[in-house]
Amino acid sequence: MDFDWSTPFPEGVISFLDTDLYKLTMQCAVLKYYPDVPVTYAFTNRTPEKKLSRKAFSWLCEQISKLGNISLSDDELRYLQTHCKYLSPPYLEFLKEFRLKPREQLNPTFNPVGPDTGAEDELGDIHIEISGKWVDTILYEIPLLALTSEAYFKFMDTDWNYDGQEDKAYHKGVQLLEAGCVLSEFGSRRRRDYHTQALVFRGLVKASKDAQKRDLPGKLSGTSNVHLAMRFNLPPVGTVAHEWFMGIAAITNDYLEASEEALRRWIGCFGEGVLGIALTDTFGTPAFLKAFSKPIKYLLDTPNIPLLDEGTQPTTSSRSYAEVYAGVRQDSGDPASFVKVMRDFYESQGIKDRKTIVFSDSLNIEKCIEYKRIAEEQGFQPTFGVGTFLTNDFVQLSTGKKSVPMNIVIKLSSAAGNPAIKISDNIGKNTGDSAKVSEVKQLLGYVEKEWADGDETSRWGKADDSIKP
């Protein structure tokens, strides 16, 4: 399905599927195992110098209220049934009637930086509180982040236009495909707006078609955005986010066993060999690998498990999680060090299969090519989830300098009344209650790490950066 480019540029979130696949897969698993758990989420602006005006905030609130009007269409349901067969029939039935309820579940607030005059051009910091059942609120993250970014670039930084976005994405795609990179577009959360993401993905698809004609070694795997995947008749890409591990750890309050429990329940929902890319860094990669090395413990209703001779389901597998999972995702810390850690780990486990490493942390062309070389030298299959570099790469028309994206995140902050935290492999990505973070670090024997390229306030450049020709 192609786009009707004669229609006006869409504003805001236009479809239930205008989200990333991993939100749907996690909601499916939450519905199965934690349907009644209450949670909260916290919004963080890691670029606090980027503020909204009251007018921008009012537009944001209007768009947030519209989220309650969006539901899954019949065409979207058929698409999920056809292209996402791992989503269970009970979950798809649940989605038919599912609605977000922003008036009940969200509380956006505007805090002026100076005297509160009520003027439309008054600047302030925004805060968004999210609360409700996990299964009911898990889908807010992507649309809220996308809408906040859109509000900033619609009202605050307006010195830009769409000219050349599709062509720029095409040439980026060609460079990556010529270099042999396998890539996916991961840019929903911090895109400039939906139209930008659509232009970008159209450019990438064009690059992919030309690459196939030229027999280039690289490949476009798809996009994490389910709506765009549907419009281009491609399967969406994605597996799981930190939220799954954070939520289970908070619910159980057992950080020594939380990673194993998260892996066990993921397989319990989807089966072995399905959605099999593991995210390692929620509580630090070393702690995760202890769980990853253990034999799989099956839950009673785990799908697609071979039965024993007597016709019963086994309780434990002869294989470990590390053997069954296709690979891992690197999302924080030094990628070169991570590759070495994973090579040492797999060798210590006697695992000879060629595993995949998905790189997804603030990538650009140079980083993808460098990480590809490093990973392949260690015997891995590298793939790349490229986001903000594709969907929010603009220059200021008046100066020719970079129009810098916002760095905003929404993370689970509590589950079942307990604080939810993320530690990661880089101190700049620590998230959640500081006392709980310190407690868990001590419990797990976490070794503090900093990475030279890990400054979260300038991940995609600074306002005075000149643009490379």
Side-chain angles (χ1 to χ4, degrees):
M1 182 185 298
D2 209 343
F3 291 99
D4 178 3
W5 298 97
S6 64
T7 59
F9 300 151
E11 181 179 74
V13 173
I14 64 172
S15 162
F16 184 88
L17 295 186
D18 185 12
T19 190
D20 283 340
L21 176 64
Y22 67 39
K23 301 304 293 190
L24 301 183
T25 56
M26 288 191 297
Q27 190 184 37
C28 179
V30 169
L31 177 67
K32 182 171 184 177
Y33 292 118
Y34 306 104
D36 297 314
V37 171
V39 300
T40 60
Y41 293 82
F43 171 91
T44 301
N45 182 3
R46 292 171 175 166
T47 44
E49 74 282 359
K50 297 185 182 300
K51 304 181 187 302
L52 295 188
S53 65
R54 191 179 294 279
K55 183 177 182 180
F57 176 71
S58 296
W59 179 89
L60 175 61
C61 291
E62 179 184 348
Q63 296 302 317
I64 288 173
S65 69
K66 291 179 180 179
L67 295 176
N69 302 328
I70 298 174
S71 61
L72 190 72
S73 71
D74 291 342
D75 285 345
E76 290 170 338
L77 175 62
R78 283 190 289 271
Y79 172 80
L80 294 179
Q81 291 171 329
T82 301
H83 291 275
C84 305
K85 294 184 181 298
Y86 40 79
L87 297 176
S88 67
Y91 173 62
L92 294 177
E93 283 297 315
F94 168 82
L95 282 189
K96 287 182 181 179
E97 306 300 326
F98 180 78
R99 300 291 188 278
L100 293 170
K101 300 176 181 178
R103 289 187 179 182
E104 300 175 15
Q105 298 158 338
L106 302 187
N107 181 29
T109 55
F110 179 81
N111 303 304
V113 295
D116 188 350
T117 65
E120 283 194 336
D121 60 354
E122 188 172 47
L123 298 183
D125 297 307
I126 68 166
H127 183 63
I128 305 174
E129 296 178 356
I130 307 169
S131 61
K133 290 183 180 180
W134 196 4
V135 73
D136 293 332
T137 56
I138 193 170
L139 297 187
Y140 277 118
E141 176 193 3
I142 305 302
L144 288 181
L145 291 174
L147 288 171
T148 302
S149 178
E150 183 172 352
Y152 182 81
F153 290 103
K154 185 179 182 69
F155 294 94
M156 309 311 297
D157 179 354
T158 60
D159 188 18
W160 58 275
N161 61 31
Y162 298 107
D163 293 352
Q165 280 294 306
E166 182 178 338
D167 191 54
K168 181 185 288 188
Y170 170 82
H171 287 291
K172 288 176 180 177
V174 168
Q175 285 182 266
L176 291 167
L177 296 170
E178 286 177 339
C181 293
V182 178
L183 73 144
S184 303
E185 185 272 309
F186 274 20
S188 299
R189 293 187 301 162
R190 301 186 187 100
R191 69 193 185 194
R192 193 141 297 203
D193 55 17
Y194 178 88
H195 184 64
T196 300
Q197 190 174 13
L199 288 171
V200 163
F201 194 62
R202 193 173 192 221
L204 293 176
V205 169
K206 181 181 176 183
S208 176
K209 292 178 179 178
D210 288 352
Q212 291 174 10
K213 294 176 183 177
R214 296 169 56 193
D215 201 26
L216 295 181
K219 178 184 177 182
L220 176 67
S221 296
T223 172
S224 61
N225 187 287
V226 187
H227 187 250
L228 282 174
M230 176 180 170
R231 297 196 73 168
F232 283 91
N233 197 30
L234 295 167
V237 177
T239 53
V240 69
H242 298 101
E243 179 179 351
W244 178 244
F245 295 86
M246 294 168 67
I248 291 174
I251 292 165
T252 63
N253 200 28
D254 184 353
Y255 283 80
L256 291 173
E257 304 297 331
S259 292
E260 182 182 2
E261 187 67 10
L263 291 168
R264 183 188 186 200
R265 290 186 181 272
W266 195 254
I267 286 179
C269 186
F270 300 108
E272 293 183 7
V274 180
L275 301 172
I277 297 295
L279 189 55
T280 70
D281 67 332
T282 309
F283 309 118
T285 293
F288 174 84
L289 294 181
K290 293 178 182 178
F292 208 37
S293 65
K294 294 179 180 180
I296 298 170
K297 296 177 182 177
Y298 294 125
L299 295 164
L300 286 178
D301 55 354
T302 300
N304 307 320
I305 301 303
L307 300 179
L308 298 173
D309 292 342
E310 59 269 27
T312 60
Q313 179 179 297
T315 58
T316 305
S317 173
S318 60
R319 298 192 295 169
S320 69
Y321 296 99
E323 290 177 277
V324 167
Y325 272 73
V328 295
R329 178 155 73 95
Q330 193 273 336
D331 195 55
S332 66
D334 181 3
S337 297
F338 179 84
V339 169
K340 180 65 166 59
V341 166
M342 291 311 305
R343 173 46 54 214
D344 291 345
F345 169 78
Y346 282 122
E347 288 186 356
S348 73
Q349 300 297 305
I351 296 174
K352 305 299 183 183
D353 298 343
R354 191 183 191 206
K355 296 293 187 177
T356 296
I357 295 182
V358 180
F359 296 92
S360 60
D361 187 19
S362 306
L363 300 176
N364 58 28
I365 292 171
E366 292 77 14
K367 289 178 180 178
C368 289
I369 294 173
E370 178 188 359
Y371 302 162
K372 177 179 182 292
R373 175 187 59 78
I374 293 170
E376 289 179 341
E377 286 176 354
Q378 293 290 342
F380 290 105
Q381 171 60 59
T383 69
F384 304 91
V386 188
T388 308
F389 173 67
L390 291 171
T391 61
N392 207 330
D393 185 15
F394 287 78
V395 299
Q396 294 177 340
L397 299 177
S398 61
T399 66
K401 293 186 176 181
K402 188 170 183 62
S403 174
V404 180
M406 298 184 82
N407 187 352
I408 47 179
V409 295
I410 291 175
K411 296 293 183 185
L412 197 70
S413 56
S414 75
N418 298 320
I421 64 165
K422 178 169 77 81
I423 297 175
S424 84
D425 289 333
N426 173 30
I427 191 172
K429 286 193 168 184
N430 288 183
T431 302
D433 180 79
S434 58
K436 192 66 177 181
V437 168
S438 298
E439 175 192 329
V440 173
K441 284 182 177 180
Q442 184 174 3
L443 175 69
L444 299 179
Y446 180 86
V447 177
E448 204 67 72
K449 296 177 182 178
E450 292 194 48
W451 176 42
D453 292 339
D455 182 359
E456 292 299 319
T457 64
S458 57
R459 295 311 296 271
W460 300 286
K462 298 180 179 179
D464 58 352
D465 287 350
S466 298
I467 300 300
K468 295 179 182 179

